[in-house]
């Protein structure tokens, strides 16, 4: 199914070819859309159902999942409201497509709304892969993340995101009780084959082969 705007977000849905795999919620980076992460997801989690919404905010014509006034200067009100809106979409889409709770696979702006959703509703996701996420403010108080598996992939010379922020995010999610794996790769903001290899391995060892309700 391609480009439907039903359920509140323009999105792309790919039904499972392998129903034993946990579905993935794909969350693109700034300037991406609902198609961006589909080939990557098909490579690292073949056969998984894919639910991929397009961010509703436009920045100079580029879709994003929430507003900001500059790099790292987020509109926190909008961030929170858009997180709730994405959570509502996920609830509707899970019913409409009859899919299990997904693991989020988010890149950059999409990774940021993914951790926000984890903190807002610890029951919304079965886990998360956060690629090039950032943490420009302290989101405490934290919920109980109850052992939720999270993989954080950062780039040591990311030109947009200070790598220390990914480290603080990893520590914070760990403090909230998540089962965090934190990897720093010798790369920049863009994804590399090493990211995809680590994400594929993590997905197969953290439930991508066994759906969680
Ligand atoms: C964001 O605004 O979410 C981050 O700066 C990542 C980005 O989209 O560049």
């Amino acid at each position: 199914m391609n480009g439907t705007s039903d359920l509140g977000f323009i999105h792309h849905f790919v039904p499972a070819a392998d129903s034993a795999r946990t579905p993935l919620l794909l969350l693109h980076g700034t300037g991406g859309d609902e198609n961006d992460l589909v080939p990557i997801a098909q490579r690292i989690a073949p056969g998984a159902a894919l639910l991929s919404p397009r961010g509703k905010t436009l920045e100079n014509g580029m879709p994003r999942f929430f507003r900001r006034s500059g790099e790292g200067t987020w509109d926190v009100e909008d961030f929170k409201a858009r997180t709730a809106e994405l959570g509502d979409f996920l609830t509707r889409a899970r019913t409409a497509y009859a899919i299990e709770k997904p693991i989020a696979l988010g890149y950059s702006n999409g990774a940021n709304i993914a951790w926000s959703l984890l903190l807002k509703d610890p029951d919304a996701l079965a886990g998360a892969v956060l690629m090039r996420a950032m943490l420009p403010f302290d989101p405490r108080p934290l919920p109980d993340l109850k052992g939720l598996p999270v993989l954080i992939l950062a780039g040591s010379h990311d030109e947009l995101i200070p790598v220390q922020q990914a480290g603080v995010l990893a520590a914070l999610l760990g403090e909230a009780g998540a089962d965090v794996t934190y990897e720093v790769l010798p790369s920049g903001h863009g994804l590399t084959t090493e990211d995809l290899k680590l994400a594929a391995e993590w997905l197969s060892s953290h439930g991508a082969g066994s759906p969680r309700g």
Side-chain angles (χ1 to χ4, degrees), residues 109-121:
N109 181 245
N112 295 333
I113 195 105
W115 68 247
S116 181
L117 186 56
L118 280 180
L119 295 186
K120 179 177 188 310
D121 182 1

Side-chain angles (χ1 to χ4, degrees), residues 29-30 64 66 68 70-72 74 108-110 112 132 134 160-161 189:
T30 300
R64 287 175 50 83
F66 55 88
R68 66 176 171 183
E71 192 61 54
W74 295 357
S108 192
N109 181 245
N112 295 333
R132 308 300 185 271
M134 73 190 295
L160 293 179
I161 293 172
H189 196 65

Side-chain angles (χ1 to χ4, degrees), residues 103-197:
I103 293 175
L105 177 71
Y107 171 61
S108 192
N109 181 245
N112 295 333
I113 195 105
W115 68 247
S116 181
L117 186 56
L118 280 180
L119 295 186
K120 179 177 188 310
D121 182 1
D123 289 324
L125 297 168
V129 178
L130 308 176
M131 304 180 291
R132 308 300 185 271
M134 73 190 295
L135 185 72
F137 65 93
D138 185 344
R140 285 184 183 87
L142 302 172
D144 180 2
L145 290 179
K146 306 172 223 168
L148 209 75
V150 178
L151 172 64
I152 300 181
L153 297 174
S156 60
H157 41 278
D158 191 322
E159 52 287 14
L160 293 179
I161 293 172
V163 66
Q164 301 88 315
Q165 285 197 13
V168 175
L169 177 64
L172 200 104
L173 294 179
E175 184 186 321
D179 172 10
V180 179
T181 306
Y182 175 48
E183 302 275 0
V184 180
L185 307 180
S187 58
H189 196 65
L191 294 179
T192 64
T193 50
E194 188 62 12
D195 286 281
L196 304 192
K197 181 171 163 280

